[in-house]
Amino acid sequence: MKKTLLSGVAPTGNLTIGNYIGALKNWKEMQRQYDCLFMVVDMHAITIHQDPSSLRSRCLSFVSQYLALGIEPKESTIFIQSHVSAHAELAWILNCFTYMGELNRMTQFKNKTKKYSSNINAGLYVYPVLMAADILLYQTDIVPIGDDQRQHLELTRDIAVRFNNLYGKVFQIPEPYISKVGARIMSLLDPKSKMDKSDHNFNNYIALLDEPSVVLKKIRQAITDSGTEIKVDKSKLGISNLLTVYSCLSGMPIPKLEEQFKGKNYTAFKKELAELIIEILRPIQNKYKKLMDNKDYISTILKQGAKKAGERADRILKKVQERIGFI
Ligand code: TYM
């Protein structure tokens, strides 16, 4: 029997090469080896106010991008989180097994309260518990994520162990899968900050759907550092980030790239990097356009996904309800 892999993306902003390198690329590479579930987590998205029609179209767009990236609906279960009501039900139960002290420590919550100071809602606070429910509902073994989700996964494990200690083994304890290189791709104009798909300044990221001319312009504008050497160095955050992107997309180790670009200037390096990104994105974008013309196909996949995921989730939810004494 294959082990279970689960992951998801919140439908906010635009999918970026950060999401691709940190998570989605690994989904594609791992999907044959594991029994996979991939979600678009719309319930997470509403912790920040969303325009309903944009949320609807973004959910469809993200699913189409999953498919265009090579996620196979015949092999993997693809679904929208809100289509499986067990996520909300388990999240409530797990809220009762999570301490406020634990949630207060969550770095993402602290960052988001600064960014969205006019809307610090309770959903934003218990967001990591919903994420724990997403994972624990499917007896997940492995969760491929970027580095920014590491703390949420540790909390998921703590909640699962706590519950199992009280009620006997119910939950599988999940392991994170975080790449050694590329787990935190940085912003193009501010390489001290993470590349963020909801960034208001589009020039901070390359979106998977960016046109070639836009990719070229954004990479040309990306912050590099004083000096001329193309190498990874703590004092050269901009060029280190671009080298990491190059390495993850080309599969070439960083020392080899440093060797290859020895003596070349930043402009030449950036031109090659932009061309590489454009070549990787081209087939994805072509496939995406075809998929978006076939909404019926997407909706069939989502119906099947919700049914498959729902049946699995309900089995675990029932077990949890029985163990805690719901009649
Ligand atoms: P989200 O939507 O912010 O990001 C989706 C995935 O992309 C990774 N990522 C990055 N990786 C490298 N560099 C970056 N700059 C970068 N930015 C984002 C994220 O780590 C993530 O893997 N809470 C989650 C979604 C979620 C989830 C889950 C994930 C909800 N339930 C259950 C796994 C399992 C989130 O907001 O990711």
Side-chain angles (χ1 to χ4, degrees), residues 9 13-25 27 61-70 195 197 202 205-212 214-215 218 245 249 277-289:
V9 177
N14 297 298
L15 281 176
T16 71
I17 52 164
N19 301 122
Y20 176 68
I21 294 171
L24 296 155
K25 190 166 153 286
W27 298 6
S61 169
F62 277 30
V63 170
S64 300
Q65 287 177 73
Y66 287 7
L67 298 171
L69 285 163
M195 184 180 282
K197 66 174 154 34
F202 296 161
Y205 62 75
I206 305 279
L208 297 188
L209 299 179
D210 275 346
E211 301 269 336
V214 176
V215 173
K218 287 182 177 176
V245 170
L249 294 182
I277 297 173
I278 291 167
E279 280 322 302
I280 299 238
L281 296 186
R282 195 190 309 280
I284 298 170
Q285 295 178 353
N286 288 342
K287 208 168 157 197
Y288 171 79
K289 280 184 202 130

Side-chain angles (χ1 to χ4, degrees), residues 134-148:
D134 297 339
I135 297 168
L136 300 177
L137 264 177
Y138 299 94
Q139 303 298 47
T140 304
D141 296 288
I142 190 154
V143 188
I145 40 173
D147 188 60
D148 61 334

Side-chain angles (χ1 to χ4, degrees), residues 6-12 15-24 27 39 41 44 62 81 108 112 127 130-132 134-135 143-150 152-153 182-187 193-197:
L6 171 139
S7 201
V9 177
T12 55
L15 281 176
T16 71
I17 52 164
N19 301 122
Y20 176 68
I21 294 171
L24 296 155
W27 298 6
M39 316 168 282
V41 293
H44 279 90
F62 277 30
Q81 182 189 33
Q108 246 196 15
K112 284 194 176 161
Y127 172 117
L130 178 59
M131 181 160 161
D134 297 339
I135 297 168
V143 188
I145 40 173
D147 188 60
D148 61 334
Q149 299 298 320
R150 185 190 295 271
H152 292 161
L153 208 93
R184 183 174 284 264
I185 299 298
M186 309 310 277
S187 151
S193 312
K194 185 188 75 166
M195 184 180 282
D196 179 358
K197 66 174 154 34

Side-chain angles (χ1 to χ4, degrees), residues 151-297:
Q151 201 185 23
H152 292 161
L153 208 93
E154 279 164 12
L155 177 68
T156 301
R157 289 167 57 90
D158 290 345
I159 297 172
V161 169
R162 184 172 304 145
F163 192 94
N164 284 353
N165 284 342
L166 283 167
Y167 296 103
K169 185 168 186 304
V170 176
F171 295 128
Q172 175 67 26
I173 311 298
E175 295 284 342
Y177 178 89
I178 301 174
S179 301
K180 285 205 180 69
V181 182
R184 183 174 284 264
I185 299 298
M186 309 310 277
S187 151
L188 297 178
L189 296 179
D190 172 19
K192 283 200 187 79
S193 312
K194 185 188 75 166
M195 184 180 282
D196 179 358
K197 66 174 154 34
S198 306
D199 201 315
H200 293 306
N201 184 350
F202 296 161
N203 290 321
N204 274 325
Y205 62 75
I206 305 279
L208 297 188
L209 299 179
D210 275 346
E211 301 269 336
S213 59
V214 176
V215 173
L216 206 61
K217 183 169 145 265
K218 287 182 177 176
I219 293 292
R220 209 182 287 141
Q221 285 174 353
I223 294 286
T224 39
D225 325 78
S226 56
T228 52
E229 258 186 305
I230 297 166
K231 65 168 191 165
V232 167
D233 190 302
K234 279 206 183 81
S235 66
K236 293 164 79 76
L237 295 179
I239 208 77
S240 300
N241 187 42
L242 296 182
L243 265 170
T244 304
V245 170
Y246 201 121
S247 167
C248 293
L249 294 182
S250 65
M252 295 226 297
I254 286 175
K256 236 179 157 179
L257 290 174
E258 288 172 338
E259 192 56 41
Q260 182 182 319
F261 286 103
K262 216 174 200 160
K264 292 201 181 167
N265 61 25
Y266 287 164
T267 313
F269 168 68
K270 282 178 160 182
K271 185 165 173 285
E272 282 199 36
L273 173 59
E275 280 165 6
L276 173 67
I277 297 173
I278 291 167
E279 280 322 302
I280 299 238
L281 296 186
R282 195 190 309 280
I284 298 170
Q285 295 178 353
N286 288 342
K287 208 168 157 197
Y288 171 79
K289 280 184 202 130
K290 287 194 191 122
L291 285 158
M292 286 300 276
D293 282 340
N294 195 349
K295 300 252 166 55
D296 289 347
Y297 173 66

Side-chain angles (χ1 to χ4, degrees), residues 109-141:
F109 173 68
K110 287 189 218 164
N111 292 341
K112 284 194 176 161
T113 51
K114 277 188 214 133
K115 197 168 165 194
Y116 303 101
S117 55
S118 60
N119 178 24
I120 308 176
N121 59 70
L124 200 58
Y125 188 59
V126 293
Y127 172 117
V129 188
L130 178 59
M131 181 160 161
D134 297 339
I135 297 168
L136 300 177
L137 264 177
Y138 299 94
Q139 303 298 47
T140 304
D141 296 288

